[in-house]
């Protein structure tokens, strides 16, 4: 049996596996991706990308390419609304424009792009960064010990098996993760609550849409509950059917069980509100279960769960794929730091502590939206109060060993980023600044290593950071005359610090530490904070390496 050695093996080469591969590659970590399918996605799933996702792609230089690809598939900035049928009565607009009211929160907009358009970009970028992608290849088995993970992979066509030696294994193998099952990790939450289908169809629906720009259209009538999206050419789309009634007015217990061509044509015609003479072609039908839940653990030893293997949620809100991408972003820099010897193994414990709470919160919010937007018969009594979408997309707050809090107390799981002053453990806020003659976001200085941002009177913090050689730390003073130029008081208000204070931002753009003012020994304090965040027990400190 041929043997392969690689720092990280990624099981699953769809959206989350490929994103993990790109992020690891951007940090200089070699990885191997195995995917049982023959190539990237062939069905247009995961259509909506949130601002945080595009920010992550911006960090690795892909946001413009993703935006250009999105424009080829959909007219952007459309509405999310509900109708009795596309050509019938409008019921409610959840959002008139998906980017209305969020433009100032991020340098990037929400976008609509399918996995068909996105995954090839990620695959190509991963390969440019040194990753190897093995399609038509499945993970057969794995075992781990203190030294690493040994996995058997098999090519599905030839049957050839190879043994992979890796330091870590990332399970991005989907909602029915065999890796999660083998680890004995249970799912918690709501479980399955609807058997659904997605119908891919062709039909000329231009006249039914008219002059409206609609990004997501919910169909809510007694005979059918679901939603659909249509292509930019207005001649095709997909319809998701959550539940429906039969011709006798009885609820169909499993819409996928009798999803023959005739039935699917009826579903599509009902959702469109189209006349009987409109030609409709059914191209493909996929059955799936609507679920809401999260894994009891996101890590076991050297194996980590990410994406749908760690959490599942209904498509209401478009949170699933986006949540998985943030999982990958959170995990990649930590694996990189440990593999490069700049952090101790204990840093990896923070992945579960941080992302599990975010996954639980997001799964419950998606379920609340499903009940309120789609099927109130599930019961409103025990659902979570719906949060502002941006509090879910941009607002998760982490509490872990990778966040240093001098005043520990119970923290919220999320915050509303519309309110100034980010919480410790939250995403660092976007603020437009100037660096020389370049206009950039504060987010543009994050991504590789730690960043220290000091207030207008915080030069001592910057000087101290500059003296910590070998600490993988870059420092900036943000002020009208600073390294990053901002209006008087703008930075301090956005980051909730005094002019003499500073914040330390992790490679994933999370505020890891905050100083409320000057310090007697700023270099010593920064060094101690980095030691703690990076779990450097037994790893020489920056001060010791000077």
């Amino acid at each position: 049996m041929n043997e392969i050695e690689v720092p990280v093996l990624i099981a699953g080469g769809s959206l989350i596996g490929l994103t993990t591969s790109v992020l690891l590659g951007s940090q200089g970590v070699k990885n191997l991706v195995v995917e049982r399918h023959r190539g990237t996605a062939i069905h247009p799933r995961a259509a909506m990308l949130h601002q945080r996702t595009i920010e992550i792609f911006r960090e690795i230089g892909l946001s413009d390419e993703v935006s250009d690809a999105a424009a080829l598939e959909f007219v952007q900035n459309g509405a999310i609304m509900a109708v009795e049928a596309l050509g019938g009565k409008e019921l409610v607009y959840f959002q008139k424009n998906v980017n209305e009211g969020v433009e100032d929160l991020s340098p990037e907009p929400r976008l609509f792009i399918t996995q068909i358009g996105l995954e090839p970009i990620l695959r190509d970028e991963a390969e440019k960064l040194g990753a190897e992608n093995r399609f038509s290849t499945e993970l057969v088995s794995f075992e781990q010990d203190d030294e690493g993970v040994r996995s058997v992979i098999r090519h599905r066509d030839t049957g050839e098996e190879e043994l992979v030696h890796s330091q870590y294994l990332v399970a991005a193998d989907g909602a029915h993760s065999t890796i999660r099952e083998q680890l004995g990790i249970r799912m918690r939450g709501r479980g399955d609550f609807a058997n659904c289908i997605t119908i891919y169809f062709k039909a000329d629906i231009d006249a039914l849409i008219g002059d409206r720009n609609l990004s997501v259209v919910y169909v809510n009538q007694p005979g059918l509950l679901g939603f659909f999206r249509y292509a930019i050419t207005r001649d095709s789309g997909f319809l998701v059917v959550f539940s429906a009634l039969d011709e006798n007015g009885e609820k169909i217990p499993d819409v996928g069980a009798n999803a023959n061509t005739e039935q699917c044509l009826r579903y599509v015609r009902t959702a469109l509100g189209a006349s009987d003479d409109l030609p409709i072609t059914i191209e493909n039908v996929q059955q799936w279960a609507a679920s809401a839940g999260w894994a009891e653990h996101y890590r076991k030893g050297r194996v980590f769960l990410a994406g749908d293997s760690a959490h599942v949620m209904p498509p209401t809100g478009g949170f699933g794929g986006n949540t998985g991408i943030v999982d990958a972003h959170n995990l990649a820099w930590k694996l990189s730091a440990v593999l490069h010897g700049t952090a101790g193994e204990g840093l990896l414990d923070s992945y579960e502590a941080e992302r599990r709470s975010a996954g639980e919160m997001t799964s419950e919010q998606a379920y609340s939206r499903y009940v309120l937007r789609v099927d109130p018969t599930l019961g409103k009594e025990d659902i979570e109060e719906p949060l502002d979408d941006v509090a879910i997309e941009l607002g998760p707050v982490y509490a872990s060993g990778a966040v240093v809090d001098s005043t520990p107390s119970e923290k919220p799981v999320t915050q509303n980023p519309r309110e100034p002053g980010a919480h410790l453990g939250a995403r660092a806020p976007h603020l437009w600044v100037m660096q020389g003659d370049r206009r950039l976001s504060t987010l543009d200085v994050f991504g590789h290593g730690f960043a220290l941002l000091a207030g207008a009177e915080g030069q001592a913090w910057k000087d101290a950071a500059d003296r910590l050689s070998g600490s993988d730390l870059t420092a900036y003073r943000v002020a009208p005359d600073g390294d990053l130029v901002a209006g008087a008081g703008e930075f301090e208000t956005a980051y909730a610090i005094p002019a003499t204070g500073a914040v330390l931002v992790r490679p994933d753009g999370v505020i890891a530490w905050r100083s409320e003012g000057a310090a007697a020994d700023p270099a010593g304090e920064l060094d101690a904070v980095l030691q703690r965040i990076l779990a450097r027990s037994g790893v020489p400190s920056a001060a010791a390496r000077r």
Side-chain angles (χ1 to χ4, degrees):
M1 186 183 295
N2 184 44
E3 297 190 16
I4 302 168
E5 290 195 13
V6 67
V8 181
L9 173 63
I10 301 169
S14 189
L15 177 61
I16 307 309
L18 289 173
T19 299
T20 305
S21 179
V22 172
L23 291 168
L24 285 171
S26 72
Q27 303 267 353
V29 176
K30 296 286 186 181
N31 60 89
L32 168 64
V33 180
V34 295
E35 167 56 52
R36 65 184 307 274
H37 292 101
R38 298 185 183 279
T40 53
I42 60 173
H43 296 299
R45 297 171 292 163
M48 185 177 184
L49 297 184
H50 294 157
Q51 286 176 296
R52 187 62 185 137
T53 294
I54 309 301
E55 289 174 358
I56 292 169
F57 292 152
R58 178 188 180 98
E59 177 187 304
I60 52 179
L62 291 181
S63 58
D64 287 345
E65 187 175 356
V66 171
S67 180
D68 290 344
L72 296 176
E73 290 196 283
F74 300 113
V75 177
Q76 300 299 316
N77 298 319
I80 299 178
M81 48 93 76
V83 297
E84 287 185 351
L86 181 61
K89 181 181 178 181
E90 294 182 351
L91 299 176
V92 62
Y93 276 80
F94 301 112
Q95 292 174 306
K96 289 281 189 179
N97 176 328
V98 295
N99 281 298
E100 185 177 5
V102 302
E103 300 94 332
D104 295 337
L105 300 177
S106 172
E108 298 289 350
R110 294 165 172 156
L111 290 177
F112 282 91
I113 182 173
T114 69
Q115 287 178 236
I116 293 176
L118 178 58
E119 286 184 8
I121 295 173
L122 297 173
R123 177 200 60 206
D124 293 347
E125 184 68 14
E127 291 175 353
K128 288 177 187 176
L129 293 169
E132 183 179 358
N133 294 315
R134 299 277 197 95
F135 291 100
S136 295
T137 303
E138 58 189 350
L139 180 71
V140 176
S141 63
F142 70 93
E143 57 182 19
Q144 61 173 317
D145 56 27
D146 292 342
E147 302 300 318
V149 186
R150 293 172 300 282
S151 306
V152 176
I153 61 174
R154 179 171 59 211
H155 195 282
R156 297 183 65 201
D157 293 334
T158 66
E160 180 184 2
E161 293 187 348
E162 295 177 284
L163 179 63
V164 180
H165 298 273
S166 64
Q167 291 297 302
Y168 300 100
L169 169 63
V170 177
D173 56 340
H176 303 290
S177 171
T178 57
I179 296 175
R180 185 187 67 228
E181 291 178 4
Q182 184 172 332
L183 292 171
I185 297 175
R186 297 178 299 178
M187 293 294 288
R188 303 179 62 184
R190 308 280 177 171
D192 296 350
F193 48 84
N195 293 315
C196 312
I197 54 172
T198 301
I199 305 168
Y200 300 92
F201 67 90
K202 280 190 172 296
D204 182 359
I205 55 177
D206 184 69
L208 296 173
I209 299 167
D211 60 359
R212 296 176 294 181
N213 181 11
L214 307 176
S215 288
V216 179
V217 183
Y218 286 92
V219 179
N220 196 330
Q221 57 169 283
L224 188 147
L225 297 174
F227 77 91
F228 63 86
R229 281 204 48 79
Y230 54 87
I232 195 170
T233 51
R234 297 188 174 195
D235 61 356
S236 63
F238 65 85
L239 170 68
V240 172
V241 181
F242 295 124
S243 67
L245 302 180
D246 62 23
E247 294 178 348
N248 299 318
E250 298 293 328
K251 184 173 182 178
I252 300 173
D254 184 346
V255 294
N258 299 307
N260 55 37
T261 300
E262 182 181 353
Q263 183 76 295
C264 289
L265 282 169
R266 186 169 71 86
Y267 289 148
V268 173
R269 201 172 297 280
T270 298
L272 294 177
S275 61
D276 292 342
D277 59 356
L278 177 70
I280 299 173
T281 301
I282 304 300
E283 294 195 307
N284 197 284
V285 180
Q286 289 186 319
Q287 299 185 35
W288 54 280
S291 303
W294 55 94
E296 193 172 43
H297 298 290
Y298 278 29
R299 176 193 185 188
K300 193 165 186 178
R302 293 177 171 270
V303 184
F304 299 85
L305 308 184
D308 287 353
S309 70
H311 43 71
V312 291
M313 54 197 75
T316 37
F319 297 116
N322 292 280
T323 305
I325 287 172
V326 182
D327 291 340
H329 193 228
N330 185 287
L331 179 60
W333 78 269
K334 296 173 181 178
L335 286 173
S336 173
V338 172
L339 287 166
H340 287 135
T342 59
E345 181 83 16
L347 173 64
L348 299 176
D349 293 337
S350 65
Y351 172 66
E352 176 175 320
E354 295 178 351
R355 292 307 300 161
R356 185 180 178 279
S357 62
E360 178 179 348
M361 178 268 293
T362 308
S363 179
E364 284 294 292
Q365 286 294 313
Y367 179 75
S368 292
R369 283 160 175 73
Y370 184 92
V371 173
L372 296 173
R373 293 182 182 180
V374 177
D375 191 358
T377 65
L378 289 171
K380 302 178 183 179
E381 299 77 18
D382 65 340
I383 64 172
E384 296 290 332
E385 185 70 24
L387 298 171
D388 188 337
D389 283 359
V390 295
I392 306 167
E393 299 171 30
L394 302 175
V397 178
Y398 299 151
S400 76
V403 176
V404 177
D405 190 351
S406 59
T407 58
S409 59
E410 187 172 350
K411 297 293 188 294
V413 176
T414 188
Q415 70 165 82
N416 193 326
R418 299 184 196 278
E419 301 169 358
H423 281 283
L424 189 62
R427 159 191 170 271
H430 153 66
L431 179 68
W432 289 116
V433 295
M434 295 296 296
Q435 187 179 47
D437 59 356
R438 293 174 55 223
R439 183 175 184 253
L440 67 159
S441 168
T442 45
L443 275 59
D444 293 330
V445 303
F446 310 144
H448 294 277
F450 284 76
L452 182 91
L453 302 184
E457 299 173 26
Q459 184 66 37
W461 288 112
K462 181 184 184 308
D463 293 342
D466 290 342
R467 292 197 300 272
L468 289 178
S469 60
S471 63
D472 200 20
L473 172 63
T474 306
Y476 308 87
R477 187 172 66 89
V478 190
D481 61 345
D483 309 287
L484 301 177
V485 176
E490 286 183 351
F491 168 68
E492 290 85 353
T493 299
Y495 280 70
I497 60 168
T500 55
V503 294
L504 184 67
V505 181
R506 303 184 330 194
D508 60 347
V510 170
I511 299 175
W513 168 85
R514 162 185 287 125
S515 169
E516 297 298 335
D521 179 14
E525 186 164 344
L526 282 175
D527 194 35
V529 166
L530 285 167
Q531 288 284 105
R532 184 171 166 185
I533 292 169
L534 294 171
R536 279 178 171 168
S537 176
V539 179
S541 68
R545 294 195 299 269
R546 286 203 304 269

